[in-house]
Amino acid sequence: MTHPTATLTPRICPNCDGFATAAITTGSRDRHGHLPTLTANCPACQGQGTVPARRVREAARA
């Protein structure tokens, strides 16, 4: 008897709560008046916002 296989969907990254990339202002303006920004990615999910789902193990039945 075969068991149905469940597809594992990715879950939201617990470190960044799905907001994987942040824009950080440098605080100064360039000669055109623009405010330069730097982007920083979440180190846990590498800017994806999701992490692979974990497979739930069933407990041994006695």
Side-chain angles (χ1 to χ4, degrees):
M1 175 182 252
T2 60
H3 295 286
T5 58
T7 58
L8 299 175
T9 58
R11 60 189 180 102
I12 294 175
C13 177
N15 294 321
C16 64
D17 290 328
F19 296 97
T21 303
I24 303 166
T25 61
T26 60
S28 62
R29 296 192 180 265
D30 62 6
R31 63 187 177 116
H32 299 291
H34 298 116
L35 186 63
T37 57
L38 303 171
T39 55
N41 292 329
C42 173
C45 65
Q46 287 83 31
Q48 296 293 318
T50 58
V51 292
R54 286 190 237 162
R55 182 164 272 193
V56 178
R57 294 185 183 181
E58 292 185 21
R61 295 183 184 168

Short mmCIF file of all heavy atoms in Angstrom, two decimals:
data_model
loop_
_atom_site.label_atom_id
_atom_site.label_comp_id
_atom_site.label_asym_id
_atom_site.label_seq_id
_atom_site.Cartn_x
_atom_site.Cartn_y
_atom_site.Cartn_z
N MET A 1 0.85 -1.17 0.00
CA MET A 1 0.00 0.00 0.00
C MET A 1 0.90 1.24 0.00
O MET A 1 1.81 1.35 0.81
CB MET A 1 -0.89 -0.03 1.24
CG MET A 1 -1.74 1.21 1.39
SD MET A 1 -2.70 1.15 2.87
CE MET A 1 -4.28 0.88 2.18
N THR A 2 0.65 2.12 -0.92
CA THR A 2 1.47 3.32 -1.00
C THR A 2 0.79 4.46 -0.25
O THR A 2 -0.43 4.55 -0.19
CB THR A 2 1.67 3.74 -2.46
OG1 THR A 2 0.41 4.00 -3.03
CG2 THR A 2 2.39 2.66 -3.24
N HIS A 3 1.61 5.30 0.32
CA HIS A 3 1.11 6.45 1.06
C HIS A 3 1.19 7.67 0.15
O HIS A 3 2.14 7.82 -0.61
CB HIS A 3 1.94 6.69 2.32
CG HIS A 3 1.82 5.58 3.32
ND1 HIS A 3 0.71 5.40 4.08
CD2 HIS A 3 2.68 4.59 3.64
CE1 HIS A 3 0.89 4.34 4.86
NE2 HIS A 3 2.08 3.83 4.60
N PRO A 4 0.21 8.55 0.24
CA PRO A 4 0.29 9.76 -0.58
C PRO A 4 1.44 10.65 -0.11
O PRO A 4 1.69 10.77 1.09
CB PRO A 4 -1.05 10.45 -0.36
CG PRO A 4 -1.57 9.89 0.92
CD PRO A 4 -0.99 8.50 1.05
N THR A 5 2.15 11.20 -1.04
CA THR A 5 3.26 12.08 -0.69
C THR A 5 2.77 13.51 -0.67
O THR A 5 2.12 13.97 -1.61
CB THR A 5 4.42 11.94 -1.68
OG1 THR A 5 3.93 12.25 -2.97
CG2 THR A 5 5.00 10.54 -1.67
N ALA A 6 3.07 14.19 0.38
CA ALA A 6 2.68 15.59 0.52
C ALA A 6 3.79 16.47 -0.04
O ALA A 6 4.98 16.20 0.18
CB ALA A 6 2.43 15.93 1.98
N THR A 7 3.42 17.48 -0.77
CA THR A 7 4.43 18.41 -1.27
C THR A 7 4.79 19.37 -0.15
O THR A 7 3.93 19.88 0.55
CB THR A 7 3.91 19.20 -2.47
OG1 THR A 7 2.72 19.89 -2.08
CG2 THR A 7 3.61 18.28 -3.63
N LEU A 8 6.07 19.57 0.02
CA LEU A 8 6.54 20.45 1.08
C LEU A 8 6.62 21.87 0.54
O LEU A 8 7.39 22.15 -0.38
CB LEU A 8 7.91 19.99 1.58
CG LEU A 8 7.95 18.58 2.18
CD1 LEU A 8 9.37 18.22 2.52
CD2 LEU A 8 7.08 18.51 3.40
N THR A 9 5.82 22.74 1.09
CA THR A 9 5.85 24.13 0.66
C THR A 9 6.84 24.89 1.52
O THR A 9 6.97 24.62 2.72
CB THR A 9 4.46 24.79 0.78
OG1 THR A 9 4.02 24.68 2.14
CG2 THR A 9 3.46 24.10 -0.14
N PRO A 10 7.57 25.85 0.95
CA PRO A 10 8.53 26.61 1.75
C PRO A 10 7.80 27.46 2.78
O PRO A 10 6.67 27.88 2.58
CB PRO A 10 9.25 27.47 0.73
CG PRO A 10 8.52 27.37 -0.53
CD PRO A 10 7.58 26.23 -0.44
N ARG A 11 8.45 27.68 3.89
CA ARG A 11 7.85 28.49 4.95
C ARG A 11 8.57 29.82 5.04
O ARG A 11 9.70 29.98 4.57
CB ARG A 11 7.88 27.76 6.28
CG ARG A 11 9.25 27.40 6.75
CD ARG A 11 9.17 26.48 7.98
NE ARG A 11 10.51 26.15 8.40
CZ ARG A 11 11.14 26.72 9.43
NH1 ARG A 11 10.53 27.61 10.15
NH2 ARG A 11 12.36 26.39 9.73
N ILE A 12 7.94 30.79 5.65
CA ILE A 12 8.51 32.13 5.78
C ILE A 12 9.72 32.06 6.70
O ILE A 12 9.70 31.38 7.73
CB ILE A 12 7.46 33.11 6.33
CG1 ILE A 12 6.34 33.27 5.30
CG2 ILE A 12 8.07 34.45 6.65
CD1 ILE A 12 5.19 34.12 5.79
N CYS A 13 10.76 32.76 6.31
CA CYS A 13 12.00 32.78 7.09
C CYS A 13 11.73 33.35 8.48
O CYS A 13 11.19 34.45 8.61
CB CYS A 13 13.05 33.63 6.36
SG CYS A 13 14.59 33.80 7.27
N PRO A 14 12.09 32.62 9.54
CA PRO A 14 11.85 33.12 10.90
C PRO A 14 12.77 34.27 11.30
O PRO A 14 12.47 35.01 12.24
CB PRO A 14 12.09 31.90 11.79
CG PRO A 14 13.00 31.04 11.00
CD PRO A 14 12.68 31.29 9.55
N ASN A 15 13.87 34.46 10.59
CA ASN A 15 14.80 35.53 10.96
C ASN A 15 14.38 36.89 10.44
O ASN A 15 14.57 37.90 11.10
CB ASN A 15 16.20 35.20 10.45
CG ASN A 15 16.76 33.98 11.15
OD1 ASN A 15 16.58 33.81 12.34
ND2 ASN A 15 17.43 33.14 10.41
N CYS A 16 13.80 36.93 9.23
CA CYS A 16 13.44 38.22 8.64
C CYS A 16 11.92 38.37 8.46
O CYS A 16 11.47 39.40 7.97
CB CYS A 16 14.14 38.40 7.30
SG CYS A 16 13.64 37.21 6.04
N ASP A 17 11.14 37.36 8.81
CA ASP A 17 9.68 37.36 8.67
C ASP A 17 9.23 37.62 7.25
O ASP A 17 8.20 38.24 7.00
CB ASP A 17 9.03 38.38 9.61
CG ASP A 17 9.12 37.95 11.06
OD1 ASP A 17 9.10 36.74 11.32
OD2 ASP A 17 9.21 38.82 11.94
N GLY A 18 10.00 37.19 6.27
CA GLY A 18 9.63 37.34 4.87
C GLY A 18 10.09 38.63 4.22
O GLY A 18 9.99 38.79 3.02
N PHE A 19 10.60 39.57 5.02
CA PHE A 19 11.14 40.82 4.46
C PHE A 19 12.64 40.61 4.29
O PHE A 19 13.45 41.02 5.11
CB PHE A 19 10.84 41.99 5.39
CG PHE A 19 9.38 42.26 5.55
CD1 PHE A 19 8.68 41.77 6.62
CD2 PHE A 19 8.71 42.99 4.58
CE1 PHE A 19 7.33 42.02 6.75
CE2 PHE A 19 7.36 43.24 4.70
CZ PHE A 19 6.66 42.74 5.78
N ALA A 20 13.01 39.99 3.20
CA ALA A 20 14.37 39.47 3.02
C ALA A 20 15.39 40.52 2.64
O ALA A 20 16.57 40.36 2.89
CB ALA A 20 14.36 38.38 1.97
N THR A 21 14.97 41.62 2.03
CA THR A 21 15.91 42.65 1.60
C THR A 21 15.49 43.98 2.19
O THR A 21 14.32 44.35 2.14
CB THR A 21 15.93 42.75 0.06
OG1 THR A 21 16.26 41.46 -0.46
CG2 THR A 21 16.95 43.75 -0.42
N ALA A 22 16.46 44.69 2.75
CA ALA A 22 16.20 46.00 3.35
C ALA A 22 17.03 47.04 2.62
O ALA A 22 18.17 46.79 2.23
CB ALA A 22 16.56 45.99 4.83
N ALA A 23 16.45 48.22 2.42
CA ALA A 23 17.18 49.35 1.83
C ALA A 23 17.65 50.26 2.95
O ALA A 23 16.86 50.72 3.77
CB ALA A 23 16.28 50.11 0.87
N ILE A 24 18.94 50.53 2.99
CA ILE A 24 19.54 51.34 4.04
C ILE A 24 20.08 52.61 3.40
O ILE A 24 20.86 52.55 2.44
CB ILE A 24 20.67 50.57 4.74
CG1 ILE A 24 20.13 49.26 5.30
CG2 ILE A 24 21.30 51.41 5.84
CD1 ILE A 24 21.20 48.29 5.71
N THR A 25 19.67 53.76 3.93
CA THR A 25 20.16 55.02 3.37
C THR A 25 21.54 55.33 3.94
O THR A 25 21.85 54.98 5.08
CB THR A 25 19.21 56.19 3.69
OG1 THR A 25 19.13 56.33 5.10
CG2 THR A 25 17.84 55.94 3.12
N THR A 26 22.35 56.00 3.14
CA THR A 26 23.69 56.35 3.59
C THR A 26 23.71 57.64 4.40
O THR A 26 24.68 57.94 5.07
CB THR A 26 24.63 56.50 2.38
OG1 THR A 26 24.12 57.52 1.53
CG2 THR A 26 24.75 55.21 1.63
N GLY A 27 22.64 58.43 4.33
CA GLY A 27 22.55 59.65 5.11
C GLY A 27 23.05 60.88 4.38
O GLY A 27 22.90 62.00 4.87
N SER A 28 23.65 60.72 3.24
CA SER A 28 24.13 61.87 2.48
C SER A 28 23.50 61.86 1.09
O SER A 28 22.92 60.88 0.66
CB SER A 28 25.66 61.82 2.37
OG SER A 28 26.04 60.65 1.66
N ARG A 29 23.60 62.97 0.41
CA ARG A 29 23.06 63.07 -0.95
C ARG A 29 24.20 63.27 -1.94
O ARG A 29 25.24 63.83 -1.60
CB ARG A 29 22.08 64.23 -1.03
CG ARG A 29 20.87 64.01 -0.13
CD ARG A 29 19.78 65.02 -0.45
NE ARG A 29 18.65 64.81 0.41
CZ ARG A 29 17.59 64.07 0.08
NH1 ARG A 29 17.53 63.49 -1.08
NH2 ARG A 29 16.59 63.93 0.91
N ASP A 30 23.98 62.79 -3.15
CA ASP A 30 25.01 63.00 -4.17
C ASP A 30 24.83 64.37 -4.80
O ASP A 30 23.96 65.16 -4.42
CB ASP A 30 24.99 61.87 -5.21
CG ASP A 30 23.68 61.78 -5.98
OD1 ASP A 30 22.82 62.66 -5.80
OD2 ASP A 30 23.52 60.83 -6.76
N ARG A 31 25.63 64.68 -5.78
CA ARG A 31 25.59 66.03 -6.36
C ARG A 31 24.32 66.30 -7.15
O ARG A 31 24.02 67.44 -7.45
CB ARG A 31 26.83 66.27 -7.22
CG ARG A 31 26.96 65.36 -8.40
CD ARG A 31 28.30 65.55 -9.10
NE ARG A 31 28.43 64.61 -10.18
CZ ARG A 31 28.51 64.97 -11.44
NH1 ARG A 31 28.52 66.24 -11.77
NH2 ARG A 31 28.60 64.06 -12.37
N HIS A 32 23.56 65.26 -7.49
CA HIS A 32 22.28 65.44 -8.18
C HIS A 32 21.11 65.56 -7.21
O HIS A 32 19.99 65.76 -7.63
CB HIS A 32 22.02 64.28 -9.14
CG HIS A 32 23.04 64.14 -10.21
ND1 HIS A 32 23.17 65.06 -11.23
CD2 HIS A 32 24.02 63.22 -10.40
CE1 HIS A 32 24.16 64.69 -12.03
NE2 HIS A 32 24.70 63.57 -11.53
N GLY A 33 21.37 65.39 -5.92
CA GLY A 33 20.32 65.49 -4.91
C GLY A 33 19.67 64.16 -4.57
O GLY A 33 18.73 64.12 -3.79
N HIS A 34 20.15 63.08 -5.16
CA HIS A 34 19.59 61.77 -4.87
C HIS A 34 20.12 61.23 -3.56
O HIS A 34 21.26 61.49 -3.17
CB HIS A 34 19.91 60.78 -5.99
CG HIS A 34 19.32 61.17 -7.30
ND1 HIS A 34 20.11 61.49 -8.39
CD2 HIS A 34 18.04 61.32 -7.71
CE1 HIS A 34 19.33 61.80 -9.41
NE2 HIS A 34 18.06 61.71 -9.02
N LEU A 35 19.30 60.43 -2.89
CA LEU A 35 19.69 59.81 -1.63
C LEU A 35 20.14 58.37 -1.94
O LEU A 35 19.32 57.51 -2.23
CB LEU A 35 18.51 59.79 -0.67
CG LEU A 35 18.74 59.31 0.75
CD1 LEU A 35 19.72 60.24 1.46
CD2 LEU A 35 17.43 59.27 1.51
N PRO A 36 21.44 58.10 -1.92
CA PRO A 36 21.91 56.75 -2.23
C PRO A 36 21.49 55.75 -1.16
O PRO A 36 21.48 56.07 0.03
CB PRO A 36 23.42 56.88 -2.28
CG PRO A 36 23.74 58.31 -2.20
CD PRO A 36 22.54 59.01 -1.69
N THR A 37 21.15 54.55 -1.59
CA THR A 37 20.77 53.49 -0.66
C THR A 37 21.61 52.25 -0.93
O THR A 37 22.08 52.01 -2.03
CB THR A 37 19.28 53.12 -0.79
OG1 THR A 37 19.02 52.72 -2.13
CG2 THR A 37 18.38 54.28 -0.41
N LEU A 38 21.79 51.46 0.10
CA LEU A 38 22.46 50.17 0.01
C LEU A 38 21.41 49.11 0.31
O LEU A 38 20.52 49.31 1.13
CB LEU A 38 23.59 50.07 1.04
CG LEU A 38 24.66 51.15 0.97
CD1 LEU A 38 25.57 51.04 2.18
CD2 LEU A 38 25.46 50.98 -0.30
N THR A 39 21.50 47.96 -0.34
CA THR A 39 20.57 46.88 -0.05
C THR A 39 21.30 45.81 0.76
O THR A 39 22.46 45.49 0.49
CB THR A 39 20.01 46.25 -1.33
OG1 THR A 39 21.07 45.84 -2.15
CG2 THR A 39 19.14 47.24 -2.08
N ALA A 40 20.60 45.28 1.75
CA ALA A 40 21.16 44.23 2.59
C ALA A 40 20.19 43.05 2.58
O ALA A 40 18.99 43.22 2.79
CB ALA A 40 21.36 44.74 4.01
N ASN A 41 20.72 41.87 2.31
CA ASN A 41 19.91 40.66 2.28
C ASN A 41 20.01 39.92 3.61
O ASN A 41 21.02 39.99 4.31
CB ASN A 41 20.37 39.71 1.17
CG ASN A 41 20.08 40.27 -0.20
OD1 ASN A 41 19.12 40.99 -0.39
ND2 ASN A 41 20.91 39.94 -1.16
N CYS A 42 18.96 39.18 3.93
CA CYS A 42 18.94 38.35 5.13
C CYS A 42 19.98 37.24 4.97
O CYS A 42 19.98 36.53 3.97
CB CYS A 42 17.55 37.75 5.32
SG CYS A 42 17.43 36.56 6.66
N PRO A 43 20.88 37.06 5.94
CA PRO A 43 21.90 36.03 5.80
C PRO A 43 21.34 34.61 5.94
O PRO A 43 21.93 33.66 5.43
CB PRO A 43 22.90 36.33 6.92
CG PRO A 43 22.13 37.13 7.90
CD PRO A 43 21.08 37.87 7.14
N ALA A 44 20.20 34.45 6.58
CA ALA A 44 19.65 33.10 6.78
C ALA A 44 19.01 32.55 5.51
O ALA A 44 19.14 31.37 5.20
CB ALA A 44 18.63 33.12 7.91
N CYS A 45 18.31 33.41 4.77
CA CYS A 45 17.60 32.93 3.56
C CYS A 45 18.20 33.47 2.28
O CYS A 45 17.65 33.25 1.20
CB CYS A 45 16.11 33.28 3.65
SG CYS A 45 15.77 35.04 3.63
N GLN A 46 19.29 34.20 2.36
CA GLN A 46 20.00 34.78 1.21
C GLN A 46 19.08 35.66 0.35
O GLN A 46 19.14 35.66 -0.87
CB GLN A 46 20.64 33.71 0.33
CG GLN A 46 21.86 33.07 0.91
CD GLN A 46 21.52 31.96 1.88
OE1 GLN A 46 20.52 31.29 1.72
NE2 GLN A 46 22.35 31.77 2.87
N GLY A 47 18.17 36.40 0.99
CA GLY A 47 17.31 37.33 0.27
C GLY A 47 16.10 36.70 -0.38
O GLY A 47 15.43 37.35 -1.17
N GLN A 48 15.79 35.46 -0.09
CA GLN A 48 14.65 34.79 -0.69
C GLN A 48 13.34 35.04 0.08
O GLN A 48 12.27 35.05 -0.51
CB GLN A 48 14.88 33.28 -0.77
CG GLN A 48 16.03 32.90 -1.67
CD GLN A 48 15.72 33.21 -3.12
OE1 GLN A 48 14.63 32.98 -3.59
NE2 GLN A 48 16.69 33.76 -3.81
N GLY A 49 13.42 35.17 1.39
CA GLY A 49 12.22 35.37 2.21
C GLY A 49 11.58 34.08 2.68
O GLY A 49 10.69 34.09 3.50
N THR A 50 12.05 32.96 2.14
CA THR A 50 11.52 31.66 2.56
C THR A 50 12.68 30.71 2.84
O THR A 50 13.79 30.89 2.35
CB THR A 50 10.62 31.02 1.47
OG1 THR A 50 11.38 30.88 0.28
CG2 THR A 50 9.39 31.85 1.21
N VAL A 51 12.41 29.72 3.64
CA VAL A 51 13.37 28.66 3.91
C VAL A 51 12.70 27.34 3.58
O VAL A 51 11.47 27.25 3.58
CB VAL A 51 13.86 28.68 5.38
CG1 VAL A 51 14.70 29.90 5.66
CG2 VAL A 51 12.71 28.63 6.35
N PRO A 52 13.45 26.30 3.28
CA PRO A 52 12.83 25.02 2.95
C PRO A 52 11.99 24.48 4.11
O PRO A 52 12.34 24.65 5.27
CB PRO A 52 14.02 24.10 2.67
CG PRO A 52 15.17 24.98 2.44
CD PRO A 52 14.90 26.25 3.17
N ALA A 53 10.90 23.86 3.76
CA ALA A 53 10.04 23.28 4.79
C ALA A 53 10.72 22.07 5.40
O ALA A 53 11.47 21.35 4.75
CB ALA A 53 8.71 22.87 4.18
N ARG A 54 10.46 21.87 6.66
CA ARG A 54 11.02 20.72 7.34
C ARG A 54 10.03 19.57 7.27
O ARG A 54 8.83 19.76 7.35
CB ARG A 54 11.29 21.05 8.81
CG ARG A 54 12.48 21.93 8.99
CD ARG A 54 12.82 22.00 10.43
NE ARG A 54 12.80 23.41 10.80
CZ ARG A 54 12.72 23.86 12.02
NH1 ARG A 54 12.63 23.03 13.01
NH2 ARG A 54 12.71 25.13 12.28
N ARG A 55 10.55 18.41 7.13
CA ARG A 55 9.69 17.23 7.11
C ARG A 55 9.38 16.84 8.55
O ARG A 55 10.26 16.74 9.39
CB ARG A 55 10.40 16.09 6.40
CG ARG A 55 9.56 14.85 6.30
CD ARG A 55 10.15 13.96 5.28
NE ARG A 55 9.55 14.39 4.02
CZ ARG A 55 9.61 13.70 2.91
NH1 ARG A 55 10.29 12.60 2.88
NH2 ARG A 55 9.03 14.12 1.83
N VAL A 56 8.12 16.63 8.85
CA VAL A 56 7.69 16.26 10.19
C VAL A 56 7.84 14.75 10.34
O VAL A 56 7.35 13.98 9.53
CB VAL A 56 6.21 16.67 10.42
CG1 VAL A 56 5.76 16.24 11.80
CG2 VAL A 56 6.05 18.16 10.23
N ARG A 57 8.56 14.37 11.38
CA ARG A 57 8.76 12.95 11.63
C ARG A 57 7.64 12.44 12.52
O ARG A 57 7.26 13.07 13.49
CB ARG A 57 10.10 12.71 12.31
CG ARG A 57 11.26 13.04 11.44
CD ARG A 57 12.54 12.65 12.13
NE ARG A 57 13.69 13.03 11.32
CZ ARG A 57 14.92 12.80 11.67
NH1 ARG A 57 15.19 12.23 12.82
NH2 ARG A 57 15.91 13.17 10.89
N GLU A 58 7.17 11.27 12.20
CA GLU A 58 6.13 10.66 13.03
C GLU A 58 6.80 9.95 14.18
O GLU A 58 7.86 9.34 14.04
CB GLU A 58 5.32 9.67 12.21
CG GLU A 58 4.48 10.33 11.15
CD GLU A 58 3.59 9.32 10.45
OE1 GLU A 58 3.34 8.25 11.03
OE2 GLU A 58 3.18 9.62 9.34
N ALA A 59 6.16 10.02 15.33
CA ALA A 59 6.69 9.36 16.52
C ALA A 59 6.48 7.85 16.38
O ALA A 59 5.55 7.39 15.74
CB ALA A 59 5.99 9.88 17.76
N ALA A 60 7.39 7.11 16.98
CA ALA A 60 7.26 5.65 16.93
C ALA A 60 6.08 5.23 17.79
O ALA A 60 5.85 5.74 18.88
CB ALA A 60 8.55 5.01 17.46
N ARG A 61 5.34 4.31 17.25
CA ARG A 61 4.17 3.83 17.98
C ARG A 61 4.53 2.55 18.70
O ARG A 61 5.18 1.66 18.16
CB ARG A 61 3.03 3.57 17.02
CG ARG A 61 2.56 4.84 16.37
CD ARG A 61 1.40 4.59 15.47
NE ARG A 61 1.04 5.84 14.80
CZ ARG A 61 0.23 5.93 13.81
NH1 ARG A 61 -0.34 4.83 13.33
NH2 ARG A 61 -0.06 7.07 13.26
N ALA A 62 4.10 2.49 19.94
CA ALA A 62 4.41 1.30 20.75
C ALA A 62 3.28 0.31 20.73
O ALA A 62 2.18 0.55 20.44
CB ALA A 62 4.70 1.70 22.18
#
